[in-house]
Amino acid sequence: MKKNENFGEWYNEIVDTAELSDKRYPIKGMNVWTPYGWKIMMMIDSFTRRELNATGHDEVNFPLLIPETEFKKEKDHIKGFDSEVYWVTKAGDNELDVPLVVRPTSETAMYPMFSLWIRSHQDLPLKIFQIVNTFRYETKQTRSFIRVREIHFFESHTCHATEEEAQCQIEEDIVMLKKISKELCLPYFLLTRTDWDKFPGAHYTVGIDTVMPNGRTLQIGSIHHYRTNFSIPYDITYEDLDGEHKHVHQTTYGMSERLLGAVVGVHGDDSGLILPPPIAPFQIVVIPIISKKEPELVLDVCKMVTDILTKDGMRVKLDDRNMRPGAKYYDWEMRGVPLRLEIGARDIENKLISFARRDTGEKGTIDLSTLTASVDLLLNDISFTLYSRALNVQESMVTDITDMSEAPAETDETKDDVILRFGWCGSEKCGHTFEETTGYKILGTPYGADPVKCECVVCKAQSIKQAYAAHTM
Amino acid sequence: MKKNENFGEWYNEIVDTAELSDKRYPIKGMNVWTPYGWKIMMMIDSFTRRELNATGHDEVNFPLLIPETEFKKEKDHIKGFDSEVYWVTKAGDNELDVPLVVRPTSETAMYPMFSLWIRSHQDLPLKIFQIVNTFRYETKQTRSFIRVREIHFFESHTCHATEEEAQCQIEEDIVMLKKISKELCLPYFLLTRTDWDKFPGAHYTVGIDTVMPNGRTLQIGSIHHYRTNFSIPYDITYEDLDGEHKHVHQTTYGMSERLLGAVVGVHGDDSGLILPPPIAPFQIVVIPIISKKEPELVLDVCKMVTDILTKDGMRVKLDDRNMRPGAKYYDWEMRGVPLRLEIGARDIENKLISFARRDTGEKGTIDLSTLTASVDLLLNDISFTLYSRALNVQESMVTDITDMSEAPAETDETKDDVILRFGWCGSEKCGHTFEETTGYKILGTPYGADPVKCECVVCKAQSIKQAYAAHTM
């Protein structure tokens, strides 16, 4: 299957053949995380955990089920989720008096507790997170990691004394995002969503969008400023230094298993998955090239190399199966192992190891005497190359337009879409006109970007804001 | 609150004041894992993961929801769980055609997939596990970690070619259990459950029971041999070397957050929690004893000691809050930190550090020049002492009886129960008579124990099997 011929089919095939997930579970859109996919997801989670812990967020685990009475306290929020939640209505043989929602996100589970936990300014900021699965009754066509009904994600929730402190939290979230996405070699757009597309209940929402190679964007996460929109209905107040009771300002930040979907789609090629070294369960595969000449020595050196690299903190697999090397190459390429080392009798004579990079296919040799340093350099360069390549693709997708008539028509699965960038006066009226006329969805305006002199693509009024629009995955 | 006056109340108070969990969540028995409790649970999970990975089990993550149609395939199993499962019957505004069970355990989620995954003898053994939350509609009085409605647990599931290989798996499970429970300093009984008390659908069940200080037993986990009881209804077959299709033999092993409940109950004392060093989020707290004499030097040495121990792989907290030391001692004792180091100006002059052990209250000094080695020895000795003490308590609870009339009456919350050991002919009739007459529950017969010549406590027939009975938590 060719990636550039039919991205959608290519994606599904990669997920299957690399054994990331099994979608034959008897509920559509609820897939089984098989060992290889789950290992990668846990690696991604470990970076999330690292960043959140380093910034003083405490990990917690809240109940999955939320009483309808709590769920319905914030009106916009419930309107946004009502059509896509699962309801537990029965336990054993009993109908429940109060139906329970299966968590679609945890605001309404957490905030009643926050109202008990926060008493004074000394309890602020409150910064917590959890890594759990969440549930949405998805009615559109499902796709592994990208649109599923049980979603693995993290959600951080914070409470602050003032709107400004909450704003600082959002800046901190963006720094964490930068660090996490760097490990995944994923570039992204950071776009303040339009008012009609923000998270239900949010003051504003920043969407984190990555671009798939077919030119469609994939929202991999989001950051929200809630102001006091939730703290008022959930009665989360603190006593400030003057003894006055005030509502807290809140933020949330979350990213989902779509991160893995993005890794598959952005980096993979016609030979399979390509994993960024930081999240690869095996970063290096060592393959003995056994010939009649000194087969035992070859295997011994392979074991030694595996041991050395493992001791130096790398994740290494020695593939000593009794198969021809070509079949092994095929296997590990499919599974996206970033670096392959091949060791044969002649290499050993020359004190060399042959390598093949998964990202570029480049082959070469490294000196046994500089093994760890050379492998480390190669892995870093693989990360760098994957990121640069993805960034180039992302940038090449962006098309500037000055009139709606320039927007290309939506393509079918076999052709690539583009991302539109254009001036926008910011009015909801022009926004809706744009979306209805072109069929593109406005993703928003770059978060924290410098002003750009431009003209609204609809009403032609002068503006200083550019917007992005795309077809989404 | 005194532990030996009212164990139940003492337990609840410890869980609250050490901030392990918050039970004020608006659904009874679904509690919030607060940061400190969740950290300890994640430590316990890390040992589970270590042992399961080391024995070739792959970690997976299966969907939470199970279609009723799959859930009802094994008749005994569904009979065992029917009255205690939560049902999702609605999604958005739609009634679901097939109601979904919220996982009470994952046999019925996993086995339809196993039937797809296993084709030939080369696919065996299949060994997987997951660490997830599970749900039981508990109607009895709930208690944090011990009887809750959302339960954090791990479950491993294996498939084998033969009954004997499945039996070997159970031996491997028992070795893992030994290693995990050693980290928690928990002794336990390993008892083959009676036929009328085995897991619904199991061929046989081995219960893992620990003894709480009030003389009641707590089942912290179990191991099951399923034979082909599930592989027949779920059609899990493999083709053997002769081309014959055969049903696989299955086992499962699981332990829950009750492990943490046992740690709280078994090790704690009137001053609070006592954590075994391997699972303590902070193993050591360093407290500066600031006086007028060289306060800065004291703080510097405290920081240095904290750094050294941290670099040597220990989890250390420097408590430099502006409070009197006594208040700090109280705090960290409540939270169960195994070892406290105190450093004042005079200690520094003498090149000594004062310590206080949480398990025995013993105080002493260690030489600065042997810091890491001394602390390491102390932590190991704390583990050893906790285990030995718990084992003594467990053994002291066991009372041998030769006639049912010797069984003491059940006590109220303020007095301690005992565990009965007695001869049993093994018949269901005598078993039921015993349970009805004495009010004790038969836990089973020691797994893998040598035969003991004895007489059935009911029918007086000669036997070679002893049974244990107790009141359970």
Side-chain angles (χ1 to χ4, degrees):
Chain A
M1 185 62 57
K2 299 277 186 201
K3 182 173 180 179
N4 63 8
E5 281 176 10
N6 188 324
F7 176 75
E9 282 185 27
W10 168 87
Y11 178 92
N12 292 344
E13 193 176 303
I14 294 291
V15 170
D16 278 351
T17 48
E19 296 185 274
L20 299 179
S21 149
D22 194 326
K23 57 174 182 283
R24 291 173 295 172
Y25 190 77
I27 304 176
K28 192 175 76 104
M30 296 193 175
N31 302 333
V32 178
W33 285 94
T34 41
Y36 197 60
W38 188 238
K39 272 200 187 78
I40 302 170
M41 194 66 232
M42 285 197 297
M43 289 278 172
I44 298 175
D45 287 345
S46 74
F47 291 115
T48 302
R49 207 168 252 131
R50 181 188 74 188
E51 294 307 322
L52 285 160
N53 282 329
T55 49
H57 293 74
D58 279 319
E59 187 164 350
V60 297
N61 194 261
F62 268 74
L64 168 78
L65 301 176
I66 305 165
E68 182 180 32
T69 40
E70 297 297 337
F71 185 63
K72 297 217 157 159
K73 272 192 186 160
E74 207 290 323
K75 290 209 166 51
D76 285 337
H77 187 71
I78 169 69
K79 242 196 294 175
F81 281 105
D82 216 9
S83 68
E84 52 180 67
V85 288
Y86 288 93
W87 290 95
V88 171
T89 61
K90 222 178 108 181
D93 293 324
N94 305 322
E95 294 292 324
L96 296 175
D97 294 336
V98 178
L100 307 172
V101 170
V102 183
R103 145 194 337 123
T105 169
S106 298
E107 281 75 3
T108 62
M110 290 180 173
Y111 297 175
M113 301 305 289
F114 285 8
S115 133
L116 299 171
W117 291 350
I118 296 170
R119 287 277 159 267
S120 92
H121 60 93
Q122 287 178 313
D123 299 322
L124 297 176
L126 177 76
K127 297 164 75 167
I128 62 154
F129 75 102
Q130 64 180 8
I131 300 180
V132 294
N133 289 359
T134 184
F135 297 80
R136 309 264 170 101
Y137 179 58
E138 186 58 66
T139 49
K140 292 186 203 158
Q141 173 82 37
T142 57
R143 190 189 289 281
S144 304
F145 312 129
I146 290 181
R147 182 166 288 112
V148 287
R149 289 172 161 185
E150 177 166 4
I151 309 160
H152 185 72
F153 88 148
F154 83 86
E155 50 181 327
S156 73
H157 293 254
T158 68
C159 299
H160 308 268
T162 65
E163 180 168 350
E164 293 68 34
E165 284 167 64
Q167 183 55 42
C168 288
Q169 181 56 51
I170 290 189
E171 302 302 324
E172 184 177 87
D173 292 344
I174 290 171
V175 174
M176 286 192 279
L177 164 62
K178 197 176 272 177
K179 292 185 178 170
I180 297 167
S181 60
K182 194 182 157 219
E183 307 289 0
L184 279 62
C185 307
L186 284 182
Y188 51 86
F189 294 113
L190 210 53
L191 299 166
T192 306
R193 289 280 186 260
T194 61
D195 257 357
W196 63 92
D197 192 34
K198 65 188 184 186
F199 183 77
H203 166 46
Y204 72 82
T205 288
V206 181
I208 306 159
D209 298 298
T210 194
V211 181
M212 286 298 212
N214 63 350
R216 292 181 175 242
T217 57
L218 178 69
Q219 176 170 333
I220 50 179
S222 50
I223 300 171
H224 311 290
H225 194 313
Y226 290 161
R227 267 190 183 163
T228 56
N229 293 354
F230 284 90
S231 63
I232 293 173
Y234 286 92
D235 196 27
I236 314 173
T237 62
Y238 69 99
E239 192 177 326
D240 74 5
L241 283 166
D242 307 327
E244 206 183 325
H245 289 267
K246 290 179 176 164
H247 286 101
V248 301
H249 288 259
Q250 294 180 276
T251 79
T252 60
Y253 170 29
M255 300 206 282
S256 77
E257 62 180 81
R258 282 187 167 186
L259 285 168
L260 177 50
V263 163
V264 173
V266 168
H267 300 311
D269 66 13
D270 295 348
S271 306
L273 206 60
I274 301 182
L275 289 174
I279 61 165
F282 299 118
Q283 301 170 306
I284 301 146
V285 58
V286 177
I287 298 189
I289 309 296
I290 304 285
S291 60
K292 281 172 196 158
K293 204 172 157 193
E294 311 238 44
E296 279 167 28
L297 177 68
V298 168
L299 211 56
D300 280 350
V301 172
C302 284
K303 279 180 191 154
M304 189 195 71
V305 165
T306 303
D307 285 350
I308 291 172
L309 294 173
T310 304
K311 274 181 194 140
D312 284 333
M314 300 177 193
R315 298 185 291 276
V316 193
K317 173 79 182 175
L318 168 62
D319 185 353
D320 55 3
R321 288 178 295 173
N322 186 18
M323 289 163 54
R324 57 184 184 79
K328 294 182 184 177
Y329 299 171
Y330 179 86
D331 247 33
W332 296 110
E333 280 173 9
M334 170 54 66
R335 288 176 163 254
V337 175
L339 188 65
R340 183 175 78 223
L341 300 181
E342 303 158 22
I343 305 175
R346 195 185 307 172
D347 296 309
I348 296 171
E349 258 171 38
N350 299 326
K351 300 203 171 96
L352 292 175
I353 294 177
S354 303
F355 72 82
R357 288 172 62 144
R358 179 67 184 87
D359 57 334
T360 56
E362 185 197 335
K363 287 173 186 182
T365 57
I366 55 183
D367 203 299
L368 247 179
S369 66
T370 63
L371 176 64
T372 299
S374 299
V375 167
D376 203 43
L377 271 176
L378 278 168
L379 292 179
N380 281 333
D381 198 61
I382 290 170
S383 278
F384 178 77
T385 304
L386 288 177
Y387 179 79
S388 311
R389 200 153 72 181
L391 187 63
N392 280 340
V393 171
Q394 173 172 310
E395 286 175 352
S396 73
M397 297 283 183
V398 177
T399 301
D400 286 291
I401 60 168
T402 55
D403 192 86
M404 288 194 286
S405 63
E406 296 164 36
E410 184 168 12
T411 63
D412 66 20
E413 284 246 319
T414 63
K415 291 202 198 66
D416 291 346
D417 284 295
V418 297
I419 292 155
L420 302 180
R421 182 167 54 196
F422 52 90
W424 175 38
C425 66
S427 78
E428 192 158 335
K429 184 161 168 274
C430 286
H432 287 315
T433 304
F434 178 89
E435 290 191 333
E436 282 154 25
T437 310
T438 64
Y440 282 72
K441 177 181 158 66
I442 299 185
L443 299 174
T445 55
Y447 178 86
D450 291 331
V452 179
K453 269 198 168 179
C454 53
E455 208 173 67
C456 177
V457 78
V458 181
C459 71
K460 309 296 177 184
Q462 290 297 313
S463 170
I464 51 164
K465 265 193 176 171
Q466 286 188 310
Y468 283 74
H471 296 116
T472 59
M473 280 295 293
Chain B
M1 184 63 57
K2 300 275 187 204
K3 182 174 181 180
N4 62 8
E5 281 177 9
N6 187 323
F7 176 74
E9 282 186 26
W10 169 87
Y11 178 91
N12 292 343
E13 194 176 302
I14 294 290
V15 170
D16 279 351
T17 49
E19 297 184 274
L20 298 180
S21 149
D22 194 326
K23 57 173 183 282
R24 292 173 293 173
Y25 189 77
I27 303 175
K28 193 175 75 106
M30 296 195 175
N31 303 333
V32 178
W33 285 94
T34 42
Y36 197 59
W38 188 238
K39 272 201 187 77
I40 302 170
M41 195 65 232
M42 286 197 296
M43 289 278 173
I44 297 175
D45 287 344
S46 73
F47 291 115
T48 303
R49 206 168 253 131
R50 182 189 71 189
E51 293 308 320
L52 285 160
N53 282 328
T55 48
H57 293 74
D58 279 319
E59 187 165 350
V60 296
N61 194 261
F62 267 74
L64 169 78
L65 301 176
I66 303 164
E68 183 181 33
T69 39
E70 297 297 336
F71 185 63
K72 298 215 156 159
K73 273 191 184 159
E74 208 290 325
K75 289 210 167 50
D76 285 337
H77 188 71
I78 170 68
K79 242 197 293 174
F81 281 106
D82 217 9
S83 68
E84 53 179 65
V85 289
Y86 288 93
W87 290 96
V88 171
T89 61
K90 220 178 107 179
D93 293 325
N94 306 322
E95 294 291 326
L96 295 175
D97 294 336
V98 178
L100 306 172
V101 171
V102 184
R103 141 193 341 121
T105 169
S106 298
E107 280 76 3
T108 62
M110 291 179 173
Y111 297 174
M113 301 305 291
F114 285 9
S115 131
L116 299 172
W117 293 350
I118 295 171
R119 288 276 159 268
S120 92
H121 61 94
Q122 288 179 312
D123 300 321
L124 298 176
L126 177 76
K127 297 165 75 167
I128 61 153
F129 75 102
Q130 63 180 7
I131 301 181
V132 294
N133 290 358
T134 184
F135 296 80
R136 309 264 171 102
Y137 180 58
E138 185 59 66
T139 49
K140 293 187 202 158
Q141 173 83 35
T142 58
R143 191 188 290 280
S144 304
F145 312 128
I146 290 180
R147 183 167 287 113
V148 287
R149 290 172 161 184
E150 176 167 1
I151 308 160
H152 184 73
F153 88 148
F154 83 86
E155 50 181 326
S156 74
H157 293 255
T158 68
C159 299
H160 307 267
T162 64
E163 180 167 352
E164 293 68 34
E165 285 168 63
Q167 184 55 42
C168 286
Q169 181 57 50
I170 289 187
E171 302 303 324
E172 184 178 86
D173 293 343
I174 289 170
V175 174
M176 286 193 278
L177 163 64
K178 197 177 269 178
K179 291 185 177 172
I180 296 167
S181 60
K182 191 180 159 222
E183 307 289 0
L184 279 60
C185 308
L186 284 181
Y188 51 86
F189 294 114
L190 209 55
L191 299 166
T192 305
R193 291 280 186 262
T194 61
D195 257 356
W196 63 94
D197 192 33
K198 64 188 183 186
F199 183 76
H203 166 48
Y204 71 82
T205 288
V206 181
I208 307 159
D209 298 297
T210 193
V211 181
M212 287 298 214
N214 63 350
R216 292 181 175 241
T217 57
L218 179 69
Q219 175 170 334
I220 50 178
S222 50
I223 299 171
H224 311 291
H225 195 312
Y226 290 161
R227 266 189 182 163
T228 55
N229 293 355
F230 284 90
S231 64
I232 292 173
Y234 286 93
D235 196 26
I236 314 174
T237 61
Y238 69 98
E239 191 177 328
D240 73 6
L241 282 166
D242 307 327
E244 205 183 324
H245 288 267
K246 291 182 175 163
H247 286 102
V248 300
H249 288 259
Q250 295 182 276
T251 79
T252 60
Y253 169 31
M255 300 205 282
S256 77
E257 61 180 84
R258 281 187 167 186
L259 284 168
L260 176 52
V263 163
V264 173
V266 168
H267 300 311
D269 66 13
D270 295 348
S271 306
L273 205 60
I274 301 182
L275 289 174
I279 61 165
F282 299 120
Q283 299 170 306
I284 301 145
V285 57
V286 177
I287 297 188
I289 308 297
I290 304 285
S291 61
K292 280 172 195 156
K293 202 172 160 195
E294 310 237 46
E296 279 167 27
L297 176 68
V298 168
L299 211 55
D300 281 349
V301 172
C302 284
K303 279 181 192 155
M304 189 195 70
V305 165
T306 304
D307 284 349
I308 291 172
L309 293 175
T310 304
K311 273 180 196 143
D312 284 333
M314 300 178 192
R315 298 184 292 274
V316 194
K317 172 82 183 174
L318 168 62
D319 186 353
D320 55 3
R321 288 177 295 173
N322 186 19
M323 288 163 56
R324 56 184 186 79
K328 294 182 185 178
Y329 298 172
Y330 179 86
D331 247 34
W332 297 111
E333 280 173 8
M334 169 54 65
R335 288 176 164 255
V337 175
L339 188 66
R340 183 174 79 222
L341 301 180
E342 303 158 23
I343 304 175
R346 195 184 307 171
D347 295 309
I348 295 171
E349 256 171 39
N350 299 328
K351 300 204 169 94
L352 292 175
I353 295 177
S354 302
F355 72 80
R357 287 171 63 142
R358 179 66 184 86
D359 57 334
T360 56
E362 184 197 337
K363 287 174 186 182
T365 56
I366 57 182
D367 204 298
L368 247 179
S369 65
T370 62
L371 177 64
T372 298
S374 300
V375 166
D376 203 44
L377 270 176
L378 278 167
L379 292 180
N380 281 332
D381 198 62
I382 291 170
S383 277
F384 178 77
T385 304
L386 287 176
Y387 178 78
S388 312
R389 198 153 75 183
L391 186 64
N392 280 340
V393 171
Q394 172 172 309
E395 285 174 353
S396 73
M397 298 283 182
V398 177
T399 301
D400 286 290
I401 58 169
T402 53
D403 192 88
M404 288 193 286
S405 63
E406 296 165 36
E410 183 168 15
T411 64
D412 67 19
E413 285 247 319
T414 63
K415 290 201 200 67
D416 293 344
D417 284 296
V418 297
I419 292 155
L420 302 180
R421 182 169 50 199
F422 51 91
W424 175 38
C425 66
S427 79
E428 193 159 334
K429 183 160 171 277
C430 285
H432 287 315
T433 304
F434 179 88
E435 290 190 333
E436 281 154 27
T437 311
T438 65
Y440 283 71
K441 177 183 157 67
I442 299 185
L443 299 174
T445 54
Y447 178 85
D450 291 329
V452 178
K453 268 199 169 177
C454 53
E455 206 173 68
C456 177
V457 76
V458 181
C459 70
K460 309 294 178 186
Q462 290 297 314
S463 170
I464 51 163
K465 264 194 176 172
Q466 287 190 309
Y468 283 73
H471 297 116
T472 59
M473 279 294 294

